[in-house]
Amino acid sequence: MGGEGEAMLITQMSQQESRALLAGLGYGKLACARENHPYIVPIFFAYEDNRIFCFSTLGQKIEWMRANPRVCVQADEVRSYMEWKSVIVLGRYEELPDDEPHRKTRSHAITLLFSQRYRWWQGAYATDRLRGRAGEPIPVVFSVTIEEITGHRAQPDPAELADPPASGNPGK
Amino acid sequence: MGGEGEAMLITQMSQQESRALLAGLGYGKLACARENHPYIVPIFFAYEDNRIFCFSTLGQKIEWMRANPRVCVQADEVRSYMEWKSVIVLGRYEELPDDEPHRKTRSHAITLLFSQRYRWWQGAYATDRLRGRAGEPIPVVFSVTIEEITGHRAQPDPAELADPPASGNPGK
């Protein structure tokens, strides 16, 4: 590479660090898939006890996740090309409708989401109005249960400047 | 909602605006899917002529996209909860191997990527070393041809403060 001589070291984060990053960020991307077509949407969420809680108005992503509950959530904190943390979750969508078996969890999720970042609601409602639906918006509350979580951290690695890898010139 | 009385307006961006945003950002998320399991990775890219060009070392996402070329790319510019732009691309993965039919496009893609943001290469190589592969890293160059692109913009909407929507209290 030559040039500025920068190098970075990527290391795997522990489960605990990955969960802490996820909880602290509360904002990321969710991917779902229908008939092998992937689709990404930005989400806000609250993390608690191996689950994330989200809120949405009815729309394509909800319809897709009802049909296929396998989802992937990614969140990151990027300071520079050389310094970032990123976490990827594989998980399972579960809707929390306003019925007896789910009422308590739904109410808890709404409280968590609402108290942490109440502006999200406005975003979701603005989107709903954009779509031109009549009457009351329909809030969908759901959780994603974490089945697998992995995190990586990149940081500048001064040691590598002194001992460059023998992997040749990637510019070729 | 009450409280701060903020409101935002979400509007659809034109095709031209969406493409300009994508080209200007050069950084986003890519989702692929295998057997209806979605997977997200952060990517850097260069945009040109209805395609984005990317670079990666061999890994899970490449294996998945070889098996299923349908991908989704999302990129955004977030200034605040109330002010952001987001673009979503549905597209098709095409690998640009170092063979005769692809050599010219591959070389052009590498030049574009390398000249715009050469540090990406270092990131990809660091990841490769992390994985503990022996010998030379294998760079995979690929394009995503855009089949559908949509963009949305949110901005504070002072007009809504004077005339709040009659949709009730979403906190309930």
mmCIF file of all heavy atoms in Angstrom, chain A residues 4 6 8 10 29 36-37 40 44 68 70 76 81 88 118-119 122-123 127 129-130 136 160 167, chain B residues 1 4 6 8 10 29 36-37 40 44 68 70 76 81 119 122-123 127 129-130 136 160 167:
data_model
loop_
_atom_site.group_PDB
_atom_site.id
_atom_site.type_symbol
_atom_site.label_atom_id
_atom_site.label_comp_id
_atom_site.label_asym_id
_atom_site.label_seq_id
_atom_site.Cartn_x
_atom_site.Cartn_y
_atom_site.Cartn_z
ATOM 1 N N GLU A 4 0.495 6.390 3.415
ATOM 2 C CA GLU A 4 0.482 6.877 4.782
ATOM 3 C C GLU A 4 0.940 5.829 5.800
ATOM 4 O O GLU A 4 1.118 6.135 6.963
ATOM 5 C CB GLU A 4 -0.922 7.373 5.148
ATOM 6 C CG GLU A 4 -1.358 8.519 4.257
ATOM 7 C CD GLU A 4 -2.771 8.977 4.553
ATOM 8 O OE1 GLU A 4 -3.289 8.608 5.630
ATOM 9 O OE2 GLU A 4 -3.349 9.684 3.733
ATOM 10 N N GLU A 6 -0.614 3.411 7.205
ATOM 11 C CA GLU A 6 -1.540 3.082 8.278
ATOM 12 C C GLU A 6 -1.833 1.587 8.283
ATOM 13 O O GLU A 6 -1.767 0.929 7.256
ATOM 14 C CB GLU A 6 -2.842 3.855 8.114
ATOM 15 C CG GLU A 6 -2.655 5.336 8.355
ATOM 16 C CD GLU A 6 -3.898 6.115 7.983
ATOM 17 O OE1 GLU A 6 -4.835 5.516 7.439
ATOM 18 O OE2 GLU A 6 -3.919 7.328 8.230
ATOM 19 N N MET A 8 -4.369 -1.416 10.562
ATOM 20 C CA MET A 8 -5.318 -1.580 11.659
ATOM 21 C C MET A 8 -5.418 -3.040 12.063
ATOM 22 O O MET A 8 -5.097 -3.942 11.299
ATOM 23 C CB MET A 8 -6.693 -1.035 11.305
ATOM 24 C CG MET A 8 -7.439 -1.821 10.270
ATOM 25 S SD MET A 8 -9.159 -1.224 10.185
ATOM 26 C CE MET A 8 -9.580 -1.721 8.522
ATOM 27 N N ILE A 10 -7.992 -5.868 13.556
ATOM 28 C CA ILE A 10 -9.392 -6.205 13.796
ATOM 29 C C ILE A 10 -9.440 -7.372 14.771
ATOM 30 O O ILE A 10 -8.805 -8.398 14.545
ATOM 31 C CB ILE A 10 -10.116 -6.573 12.485
ATOM 32 C CG1 ILE A 10 -10.108 -5.370 11.538
ATOM 33 C CG2 ILE A 10 -11.544 -7.009 12.769
ATOM 34 C CD1 ILE A 10 -10.788 -5.627 10.216
ATOM 35 N N LYS A 29 -29.571 -1.431 11.528
ATOM 36 C CA LYS A 29 -30.280 -1.862 10.324
ATOM 37 C C LYS A 29 -30.831 -3.257 10.570
ATOM 38 O O LYS A 29 -30.171 -4.077 11.227
ATOM 39 C CB LYS A 29 -29.337 -1.934 9.117
ATOM 40 C CG LYS A 29 -28.410 -0.754 8.953
ATOM 41 C CD LYS A 29 -29.112 0.545 8.652
ATOM 42 C CE LYS A 29 -28.126 1.686 8.732
ATOM 43 N NZ LYS A 29 -28.712 2.998 8.672
ATOM 44 N N ASN A 36 -36.042 -15.371 -0.772
ATOM 45 C CA ASN A 36 -34.617 -15.115 -1.021
ATOM 46 C C ASN A 36 -34.289 -13.713 -1.529
ATOM 47 O O ASN A 36 -33.177 -13.459 -1.984
ATOM 48 C CB ASN A 36 -34.009 -16.165 -1.946
ATOM 49 C CG ASN A 36 -33.353 -17.287 -1.146
ATOM 50 O OD1 ASN A 36 -32.880 -17.059 -0.026
ATOM 51 N ND2 ASN A 36 -33.314 -18.476 -1.709
ATOM 52 N N HIS A 37 -35.256 -12.778 -1.468
ATOM 53 C CA HIS A 37 -34.974 -11.372 -1.745
ATOM 54 C C HIS A 37 -34.710 -10.685 -0.411
ATOM 55 O O HIS A 37 -35.618 -10.573 0.410
ATOM 56 C CB HIS A 37 -36.174 -10.670 -2.388
ATOM 57 C CG HIS A 37 -36.416 -11.051 -3.804
ATOM 58 N ND1 HIS A 37 -36.738 -12.321 -4.183
ATOM 59 C CD2 HIS A 37 -36.384 -10.316 -4.948
ATOM 60 C CE1 HIS A 37 -36.900 -12.350 -5.507
ATOM 61 N NE2 HIS A 37 -36.683 -11.154 -5.988
ATOM 62 N N ILE A 40 -33.447 -4.294 3.486
ATOM 63 C CA ILE A 40 -32.886 -3.634 4.677
ATOM 64 C C ILE A 40 -33.715 -2.420 5.056
ATOM 65 O O ILE A 40 -34.093 -1.637 4.184
ATOM 66 C CB ILE A 40 -31.459 -3.093 4.411
ATOM 67 C CG1 ILE A 40 -30.511 -4.195 3.941
ATOM 68 C CG2 ILE A 40 -30.889 -2.422 5.661
ATOM 69 C CD1 ILE A 40 -29.101 -3.675 3.637
ATOM 70 N N PHE A 44 -34.780 1.741 15.023
ATOM 71 C CA PHE A 44 -34.423 2.082 16.396
ATOM 72 C C PHE A 44 -34.911 0.939 17.268
ATOM 73 O O PHE A 44 -35.937 0.322 16.970
ATOM 74 C CB PHE A 44 -35.107 3.389 16.825
ATOM 75 C CG PHE A 44 -34.597 4.579 16.082
ATOM 76 C CD1 PHE A 44 -35.298 5.105 15.017
ATOM 77 C CD2 PHE A 44 -33.402 5.173 16.450
ATOM 78 C CE1 PHE A 44 -34.828 6.209 14.320
ATOM 79 C CE2 PHE A 44 -32.916 6.278 15.770
ATOM 80 C CZ PHE A 44 -33.637 6.799 14.701
ATOM 81 N N ASN A 68 -41.648 -14.694 7.156
ATOM 82 C CA ASN A 68 -40.358 -15.342 7.440
ATOM 83 C C ASN A 68 -39.689 -14.629 8.619
ATOM 84 O O ASN A 68 -39.142 -13.544 8.451
ATOM 85 C CB ASN A 68 -39.440 -15.281 6.208
ATOM 86 C CG ASN A 68 -38.043 -15.795 6.512
ATOM 87 O OD1 ASN A 68 -37.831 -16.552 7.462
ATOM 88 N ND2 ASN A 68 -37.082 -15.368 5.704
ATOM 89 N N ARG A 70 -36.988 -15.054 10.241
ATOM 90 C CA ARG A 70 -35.523 -14.990 10.364
ATOM 91 C C ARG A 70 -35.052 -13.594 9.960
ATOM 92 O O ARG A 70 -35.271 -13.166 8.824
ATOM 93 C CB ARG A 70 -34.851 -16.009 9.452
ATOM 94 C CG ARG A 70 -35.167 -17.432 9.813
ATOM 95 C CD ARG A 70 -34.494 -18.370 8.820
ATOM 96 N NE ARG A 70 -35.092 -19.685 8.827
ATOM 97 C CZ ARG A 70 -34.859 -20.607 9.750
ATOM 98 N NH1 ARG A 70 -34.050 -20.339 10.745
ATOM 99 N NH2 ARG A 70 -35.436 -21.783 9.689
ATOM 100 N N ASP A 76 -23.459 -0.374 14.268
ATOM 101 C CA ASP A 76 -22.042 -0.041 14.399
ATOM 102 C C ASP A 76 -21.813 1.368 14.902
ATOM 103 O O ASP A 76 -22.709 2.208 14.889
ATOM 104 C CB ASP A 76 -21.281 -0.278 13.087
ATOM 105 C CG ASP A 76 -21.889 0.464 11.906
ATOM 106 O OD1 ASP A 76 -22.401 1.576 12.087
ATOM 107 O OD2 ASP A 76 -21.871 -0.095 10.799
ATOM 108 N N TYR A 81 -12.160 5.103 9.290
ATOM 109 C CA TYR A 81 -11.929 3.858 8.567
ATOM 110 C C TYR A 81 -11.163 2.859 9.420
ATOM 111 O O TYR A 81 -11.306 1.653 9.280
ATOM 112 C CB TYR A 81 -11.087 4.137 7.308
ATOM 113 C CG TYR A 81 -11.810 4.922 6.266
ATOM 114 C CD1 TYR A 81 -11.387 6.198 5.909
ATOM 115 C CD2 TYR A 81 -12.918 4.395 5.627
ATOM 116 C CE1 TYR A 81 -12.048 6.925 4.927
ATOM 117 C CE2 TYR A 81 -13.592 5.115 4.657
ATOM 118 C CZ TYR A 81 -13.146 6.374 4.319
ATOM 119 O OH TYR A 81 -13.802 7.092 3.362
ATOM 120 N N ILE A 88 -23.229 -7.932 14.706
ATOM 121 C CA ILE A 88 -24.231 -8.565 13.843
ATOM 122 C C ILE A 88 -25.006 -9.607 14.648
ATOM 123 O O ILE A 88 -24.411 -10.453 15.320
ATOM 124 C CB ILE A 88 -23.574 -9.230 12.613
ATOM 125 C CG1 ILE A 88 -22.975 -8.146 11.713
ATOM 126 C CG2 ILE A 88 -24.580 -10.073 11.834
ATOM 127 C CD1 ILE A 88 -22.278 -8.681 10.470
ATOM 128 N N TYR A 118 -38.421 8.748 22.643
ATOM 129 C CA TYR A 118 -39.814 8.893 22.245
ATOM 130 C C TYR A 118 -39.987 9.448 20.842
ATOM 131 O O TYR A 118 -41.021 9.302 20.229
ATOM 132 C CB TYR A 118 -40.572 9.741 23.264
ATOM 133 C CG TYR A 118 -40.355 11.212 23.087
ATOM 134 C CD1 TYR A 118 -41.210 11.960 22.283
ATOM 135 C CD2 TYR A 118 -39.292 11.863 23.703
ATOM 136 C CE1 TYR A 118 -40.998 13.307 22.101
ATOM 137 C CE2 TYR A 118 -39.079 13.195 23.524
ATOM 138 C CZ TYR A 118 -39.926 13.917 22.722
ATOM 139 O OH TYR A 118 -39.714 15.236 22.529
ATOM 140 N N ARG A 119 -38.950 10.082 20.310
ATOM 141 C CA ARG A 119 -39.092 10.676 18.970
ATOM 142 C C ARG A 119 -39.331 9.626 17.895
ATOM 143 O O ARG A 119 -39.857 9.915 16.841
ATOM 144 C CB ARG A 119 -37.852 11.479 18.599
ATOM 145 C CG ARG A 119 -37.787 12.821 19.259
ATOM 146 C CD ARG A 119 -36.571 13.575 18.774
ATOM 147 N NE ARG A 119 -36.306 14.720 19.595
ATOM 148 C CZ ARG A 119 -35.656 14.674 20.749
ATOM 149 N NH1 ARG A 119 -35.237 13.517 21.214
ATOM 150 N NH2 ARG A 119 -35.442 15.773 21.440
ATOM 151 N N GLN A 122 -42.752 9.490 16.540
ATOM 152 C CA GLN A 122 -43.115 10.510 15.576
ATOM 153 C C GLN A 122 -42.659 10.109 14.186
ATOM 154 O O GLN A 122 -43.371 10.283 13.222
ATOM 155 C CB GLN A 122 -42.481 11.840 15.982
ATOM 156 C CG GLN A 122 -43.041 12.338 17.287
ATOM 157 C CD GLN A 122 -42.436 13.678 17.655
ATOM 158 O OE1 GLN A 122 -41.250 13.778 17.925
ATOM 159 N NE2 GLN A 122 -43.256 14.688 17.656
ATOM 160 N N GLY A 123 -41.454 9.552 14.098
ATOM 161 C CA GLY A 123 -40.951 9.111 12.801
ATOM 162 C C GLY A 123 -41.874 8.085 12.185
ATOM 163 O O GLY A 123 -42.280 8.195 11.038
ATOM 164 N N THR A 127 -44.187 8.513 8.746
ATOM 165 C CA THR A 127 -44.145 7.579 7.628
ATOM 166 C C THR A 127 -45.539 7.090 7.289
ATOM 167 O O THR A 127 -45.928 6.992 6.134
ATOM 168 C CB THR A 127 -43.249 6.366 7.982
ATOM 169 O OG1 THR A 127 -41.968 6.866 8.336
ATOM 170 C CG2 THR A 127 -43.122 5.416 6.819
ATOM 171 N N ARG A 129 -48.340 8.617 7.757
ATOM 172 C CA ARG A 129 -49.102 9.657 7.059
ATOM 173 C C ARG A 129 -48.651 9.784 5.613
ATOM 174 O O ARG A 129 -49.456 9.974 4.725
ATOM 175 C CB ARG A 129 -48.964 10.992 7.787
ATOM 176 C CG ARG A 129 -49.812 11.061 9.052
ATOM 177 C CD ARG A 129 -50.129 12.486 9.423
ATOM 178 N NE ARG A 129 -48.921 13.265 9.613
ATOM 179 C CZ ARG A 129 -48.154 13.216 10.695
ATOM 180 N NH1 ARG A 129 -48.469 12.427 11.683
ATOM 181 N NH2 ARG A 129 -47.095 13.968 10.792
ATOM 182 N N LEU A 130 -47.345 9.640 5.409
ATOM 183 C CA LEU A 130 -46.818 9.706 4.045
ATOM 184 C C LEU A 130 -47.512 8.681 3.163
ATOM 185 O O LEU A 130 -47.820 8.919 2.006
ATOM 186 C CB LEU A 130 -45.308 9.444 4.059
ATOM 187 C CG LEU A 130 -44.629 9.270 2.703
ATOM 188 C CD1 LEU A 130 -44.488 10.619 1.998
ATOM 189 C CD2 LEU A 130 -43.260 8.636 2.849
ATOM 190 N N GLU A 136 -56.586 6.030 12.190
ATOM 191 C CA GLU A 136 -55.516 5.779 13.154
ATOM 192 C C GLU A 136 -54.377 4.965 12.544
ATOM 193 O O GLU A 136 -54.625 3.975 11.864
ATOM 194 C CB GLU A 136 -56.082 4.979 14.332
ATOM 195 C CG GLU A 136 -57.027 5.758 15.209
ATOM 196 C CD GLU A 136 -56.295 6.625 16.218
ATOM 197 O OE1 GLU A 136 -55.359 6.121 16.859
ATOM 198 O OE2 GLU A 136 -56.666 7.795 16.360
ATOM 199 N N GLU A 160 2.102 -2.824 13.493
ATOM 200 C CA GLU A 160 2.196 -3.313 12.125
ATOM 201 C C GLU A 160 3.020 -2.391 11.237
ATOM 202 O O GLU A 160 3.464 -2.792 10.171
ATOM 203 C CB GLU A 160 0.804 -3.497 11.536
ATOM 204 C CG GLU A 160 0.043 -4.595 12.238
ATOM 205 C CD GLU A 160 -0.962 -5.274 11.323
ATOM 206 O OE1 GLU A 160 -1.303 -4.682 10.292
ATOM 207 O OE2 GLU A 160 -1.368 -6.390 11.644
ATOM 208 N N SER A 167 2.213 -9.897 2.605
ATOM 209 C CA SER A 167 1.143 -10.324 1.690
ATOM 210 C C SER A 167 1.195 -9.593 0.360
ATOM 211 O O SER A 167 0.281 -9.685 -0.428
ATOM 212 C CB SER A 167 -0.217 -10.127 2.342
ATOM 213 O OG SER A 167 -0.384 -8.803 2.756
ATOM 214 N N MET B 1 -48.397 13.425 21.044
ATOM 215 C CA MET B 1 -47.094 13.335 21.657
ATOM 216 C C MET B 1 -46.874 14.434 22.677
ATOM 217 O O MET B 1 -46.265 14.226 23.697
ATOM 218 C CB MET B 1 -45.988 13.458 20.603
ATOM 219 C CG MET B 1 -45.950 12.329 19.619
ATOM 220 S SD MET B 1 -45.503 10.758 20.376
ATOM 221 C CE MET B 1 -43.782 11.089 20.763
ATOM 222 N N GLU B 4 -42.156 18.342 23.219
ATOM 223 C CA GLU B 4 -41.425 19.350 22.475
ATOM 224 C C GLU B 4 -42.152 19.823 21.221
ATOM 225 O O GLU B 4 -41.734 20.766 20.567
ATOM 226 C CB GLU B 4 -40.044 18.809 22.102
ATOM 227 C CG GLU B 4 -39.218 18.482 23.332
ATOM 228 C CD GLU B 4 -37.863 17.888 22.995
ATOM 229 O OE1 GLU B 4 -37.444 18.017 21.830
ATOM 230 O OE2 GLU B 4 -37.245 17.310 23.887
ATOM 231 N N GLU B 6 -42.350 18.605 18.287
ATOM 232 C CA GLU B 6 -41.639 18.499 17.022
ATOM 233 C C GLU B 6 -42.442 17.671 16.038
ATOM 234 O O GLU B 6 -43.211 16.803 16.430
ATOM 235 C CB GLU B 6 -40.270 17.853 17.239
ATOM 236 C CG GLU B 6 -39.317 18.752 17.987
ATOM 237 C CD GLU B 6 -38.041 18.021 18.376
ATOM 238 O OE1 GLU B 6 -37.976 16.815 18.152
ATOM 239 O OE2 GLU B 6 -37.136 18.682 18.903
ATOM 240 N N MET B 8 -42.089 16.040 11.813
ATOM 241 C CA MET B 8 -41.239 16.001 10.623
ATOM 242 C C MET B 8 -42.038 15.569 9.416
ATOM 243 O O MET B 8 -43.086 14.941 9.518
ATOM 244 C CB MET B 8 -40.041 15.079 10.829
ATOM 245 C CG MET B 8 -40.367 13.618 10.892
ATOM 246 S SD MET B 8 -38.834 12.646 10.849
ATOM 247 C CE MET B 8 -39.363 11.159 11.668
ATOM 248 N N ILE B 10 -41.796 13.551 5.855
ATOM 249 C CA ILE B 10 -41.005 12.603 5.066
ATOM 250 C C ILE B 10 -41.477 12.663 3.623
ATOM 251 O O ILE B 10 -42.670 12.524 3.358
ATOM 252 C CB ILE B 10 -41.144 11.167 5.612
ATOM 253 C CG1 ILE B 10 -40.623 11.108 7.049
ATOM 254 C CG2 ILE B 10 -40.368 10.181 4.734
ATOM 255 C CD1 ILE B 10 -40.705 9.737 7.677
ATOM 256 N N LYS B 29 -24.767 -0.436 3.824
ATOM 257 C CA LYS B 29 -24.928 -1.828 4.241
ATOM 258 C C LYS B 29 -25.418 -2.625 3.052
ATOM 259 O O LYS B 29 -26.218 -2.143 2.253
ATOM 260 C CB LYS B 29 -25.963 -1.950 5.362
ATOM 261 C CG LYS B 29 -25.840 -0.926 6.475
ATOM 262 C CD LYS B 29 -24.567 -1.038 7.261
ATOM 263 C CE LYS B 29 -24.451 0.157 8.200
ATOM 264 N NZ LYS B 29 -23.170 0.287 8.847
ATOM 265 N N ASN B 36 -33.389 -18.078 2.627
ATOM 266 C CA ASN B 36 -34.258 -17.153 3.372
ATOM 267 C C ASN B 36 -33.684 -16.669 4.700
ATOM 268 O O ASN B 36 -34.395 -16.082 5.502
ATOM 269 C CB ASN B 36 -35.661 -17.735 3.573
ATOM 270 C CG ASN B 36 -36.606 -17.267 2.476
ATOM 271 O OD1 ASN B 36 -36.440 -16.181 1.914
ATOM 272 N ND2 ASN B 36 -37.599 -18.079 2.170
ATOM 273 N N HIS B 37 -32.381 -16.905 4.939
ATOM 274 C CA HIS B 37 -31.691 -16.289 6.076
ATOM 275 C C HIS B 37 -31.024 -15.014 5.580
ATOM 276 O O HIS B 37 -30.099 -15.091 4.765
ATOM 277 C CB HIS B 37 -30.592 -17.206 6.622
ATOM 278 C CG HIS B 37 -31.093 -18.381 7.381
ATOM 279 N ND1 HIS B 37 -31.855 -19.371 6.799
ATOM 280 C CD2 HIS B 37 -30.947 -18.742 8.682
ATOM 281 C CE1 HIS B 37 -32.149 -20.288 7.711
ATOM 282 N NE2 HIS B 37 -31.609 -19.926 8.863
ATOM 283 N N ILE B 40 -26.407 -9.130 6.931
ATOM 284 C CA ILE B 40 -26.002 -7.753 6.607
ATOM 285 C C ILE B 40 -24.507 -7.571 6.823
ATOM 286 O O ILE B 40 -23.976 -8.026 7.830
ATOM 287 C CB ILE B 40 -26.684 -6.719 7.541
ATOM 288 C CG1 ILE B 40 -28.198 -6.832 7.499
ATOM 289 C CG2 ILE B 40 -26.262 -5.294 7.180
ATOM 290 C CD1 ILE B 40 -28.897 -5.847 8.436
ATOM 291 N N PHE B 44 -18.070 -0.518 1.647
ATOM 292 C CA PHE B 44 -17.698 0.701 0.942
ATOM 293 C C PHE B 44 -17.880 0.417 -0.535
ATOM 294 O O PHE B 44 -17.698 -0.710 -0.986
ATOM 295 C CB PHE B 44 -16.230 1.050 1.220
ATOM 296 C CG PHE B 44 -15.984 1.451 2.638
ATOM 297 C CD1 PHE B 44 -15.459 0.547 3.548
ATOM 298 C CD2 PHE B 44 -16.284 2.729 3.056
ATOM 299 C CE1 PHE B 44 -15.235 0.918 4.865
ATOM 300 C CE2 PHE B 44 -16.059 3.108 4.378
ATOM 301 C CZ PHE B 44 -15.539 2.207 5.281
ATOM 302 N N ASN B 68 -26.846 -16.813 -4.451
ATOM 303 C CA ASN B 68 -28.070 -16.033 -4.688
ATOM 304 C C ASN B 68 -27.699 -14.570 -4.935
ATOM 305 O O ASN B 68 -27.394 -13.836 -3.999
ATOM 306 C CB ASN B 68 -29.009 -16.138 -3.472
ATOM 307 C CG ASN B 68 -30.220 -15.216 -3.608
ATOM 308 O OD1 ASN B 68 -30.597 -14.814 -4.707
ATOM 309 N ND2 ASN B 68 -30.810 -14.866 -2.475
ATOM 310 N N ARG B 70 -29.345 -11.930 -5.617
ATOM 311 C CA ARG B 70 -30.251 -10.837 -5.249
ATOM 312 C C ARG B 70 -29.750 -10.181 -3.969
ATOM 313 O O ARG B 70 -29.633 -10.837 -2.933
ATOM 314 C CB ARG B 70 -31.654 -11.364 -4.988
ATOM 315 C CG ARG B 70 -32.303 -11.967 -6.211
ATOM 316 C CD ARG B 70 -33.681 -12.499 -5.842
ATOM 317 N NE ARG B 70 -34.164 -13.445 -6.823
ATOM 318 C CZ ARG B 70 -34.676 -13.107 -8.002
ATOM 319 N NH1 ARG B 70 -34.756 -11.848 -8.349
ATOM 320 N NH2 ARG B 70 -35.103 -14.033 -8.841
ATOM 321 N N ASP B 76 -27.393 5.807 4.195
ATOM 322 C CA ASP B 76 -28.099 6.979 4.703
ATOM 323 C C ASP B 76 -27.159 8.040 5.259
ATOM 324 O O ASP B 76 -25.989 7.790 5.528
ATOM 325 C CB ASP B 76 -29.151 6.599 5.759
ATOM 326 C CG ASP B 76 -28.579 5.785 6.907
ATOM 327 O OD1 ASP B 76 -27.426 6.014 7.303
ATOM 328 O OD2 ASP B 76 -29.285 4.888 7.402
ATOM 329 N N TYR B 81 -32.772 12.703 14.488
ATOM 330 C CA TYR B 81 -33.981 11.901 14.343
ATOM 331 C C TYR B 81 -34.924 12.520 13.313
ATOM 332 O O TYR B 81 -35.672 11.827 12.652
ATOM 333 C CB TYR B 81 -34.725 11.830 15.680
ATOM 334 C CG TYR B 81 -34.012 11.042 16.733
ATOM 335 C CD1 TYR B 81 -33.554 11.657 17.894
ATOM 336 C CD2 TYR B 81 -33.798 9.682 16.577
ATOM 337 C CE1 TYR B 81 -32.908 10.936 18.876
ATOM 338 C CE2 TYR B 81 -33.146 8.949 17.547
ATOM 339 C CZ TYR B 81 -32.697 9.578 18.697
ATOM 340 O OH TYR B 81 -32.056 8.866 19.657
ATOM 341 N N ARG B 119 -8.069 3.372 1.610
ATOM 342 C CA ARG B 119 -7.957 2.719 2.917
ATOM 343 C C ARG B 119 -8.831 1.462 3.030
ATOM 344 O O ARG B 119 -8.580 0.590 3.832
ATOM 345 C CB ARG B 119 -8.361 3.675 4.025
ATOM 346 C CG ARG B 119 -7.282 4.667 4.367
ATOM 347 C CD ARG B 119 -7.730 5.540 5.511
ATOM 348 N NE ARG B 119 -6.879 6.690 5.657
ATOM 349 C CZ ARG B 119 -6.992 7.793 4.937
ATOM 350 N NH1 ARG B 119 -7.930 7.887 4.014
ATOM 351 N NH2 ARG B 119 -6.183 8.799 5.125
ATOM 352 N N GLN B 122 -7.033 -1.746 2.945
ATOM 353 C CA GLN B 122 -6.370 -2.160 4.173
ATOM 354 C C GLN B 122 -7.341 -2.876 5.092
ATOM 355 O O GLN B 122 -7.006 -3.862 5.708
ATOM 356 C CB GLN B 122 -5.781 -0.940 4.870
ATOM 357 C CG GLN B 122 -4.661 -0.314 4.058
ATOM 358 C CD GLN B 122 -4.063 0.859 4.777
ATOM 359 O OE1 GLN B 122 -4.732 1.856 4.980
ATOM 360 N NE2 GLN B 122 -2.825 0.726 5.171
ATOM 361 N N GLY B 123 -8.570 -2.348 5.174
ATOM 362 C CA GLY B 123 -9.588 -2.972 6.017
ATOM 363 C C GLY B 123 -9.844 -4.402 5.590
ATOM 364 O O GLY B 123 -9.819 -5.330 6.392
ATOM 365 N N THR B 127 -8.971 -7.896 7.752
ATOM 366 C CA THR B 127 -9.960 -8.924 8.044
ATOM 367 C C THR B 127 -9.442 -10.291 7.610
ATOM 368 O O THR B 127 -9.589 -11.282 8.307
ATOM 369 C CB THR B 127 -11.279 -8.620 7.306
ATOM 370 O OG1 THR B 127 -11.706 -7.327 7.708
ATOM 371 C CG2 THR B 127 -12.345 -9.628 7.638
ATOM 372 N N ARG B 129 -6.394 -11.287 7.383
ATOM 373 C CA ARG B 129 -5.372 -11.783 8.308
ATOM 374 C C ARG B 129 -6.010 -12.294 9.588
ATOM 375 O O ARG B 129 -5.603 -13.301 10.130
ATOM 376 C CB ARG B 129 -4.350 -10.684 8.618
ATOM 377 C CG ARG B 129 -3.368 -10.486 7.469
ATOM 378 C CD ARG B 129 -2.082 -9.860 7.971
ATOM 379 N NE ARG B 129 -2.320 -8.604 8.640
ATOM 380 C CZ ARG B 129 -2.526 -7.449 8.028
ATOM 381 N NH1 ARG B 129 -2.537 -7.389 6.722
ATOM 382 N NH2 ARG B 129 -2.719 -6.350 8.721
ATOM 383 N N LEU B 130 -7.057 -11.580 10.020
ATOM 384 C CA LEU B 130 -7.769 -12.016 11.230
ATOM 385 C C LEU B 130 -8.257 -13.444 11.081
ATOM 386 O O LEU B 130 -8.228 -14.246 12.006
ATOM 387 C CB LEU B 130 -8.969 -11.086 11.482
ATOM 388 C CG LEU B 130 -9.946 -11.518 12.570
ATOM 389 C CD1 LEU B 130 -9.350 -11.272 13.946
ATOM 390 C CD2 LEU B 130 -11.268 -10.769 12.444
ATOM 391 N N GLU B 136 -1.335 -15.315 0.105
ATOM 392 C CA GLU B 136 -1.931 -14.107 -0.448
ATOM 393 C C GLU B 136 -3.433 -14.042 -0.178
ATOM 394 O O GLU B 136 -4.134 -15.031 -0.350
ATOM 395 C CB GLU B 136 -1.733 -14.104 -1.970
ATOM 396 C CG GLU B 136 -0.316 -13.889 -2.409
ATOM 397 C CD GLU B 136 0.070 -12.414 -2.413
ATOM 398 O OE1 GLU B 136 -0.730 -11.606 -2.908
ATOM 399 O OE2 GLU B 136 1.156 -12.083 -1.927
ATOM 400 N N GLU B 160 -46.530 21.650 10.686
ATOM 401 C CA GLU B 160 -47.328 20.692 11.451
ATOM 402 C C GLU B 160 -47.511 21.090 12.907
ATOM 403 O O GLU B 160 -48.384 20.581 13.586
ATOM 404 C CB GLU B 160 -46.693 19.302 11.369
ATOM 405 C CG GLU B 160 -46.728 18.760 9.951
ATOM 406 C CD GLU B 160 -46.760 17.254 9.927
ATOM 407 O OE1 GLU B 160 -46.426 16.644 10.955
ATOM 408 O OE2 GLU B 160 -47.135 16.700 8.889
ATOM 409 N N SER B 167 -54.489 12.237 14.675
ATOM 410 C CA SER B 167 -54.337 10.786 14.801
ATOM 411 C C SER B 167 -54.252 10.330 16.254
ATOM 412 O O SER B 167 -53.913 9.190 16.522
ATOM 413 C CB SER B 167 -53.104 10.332 14.027
ATOM 414 O OG SER B 167 -51.969 11.039 14.453
#
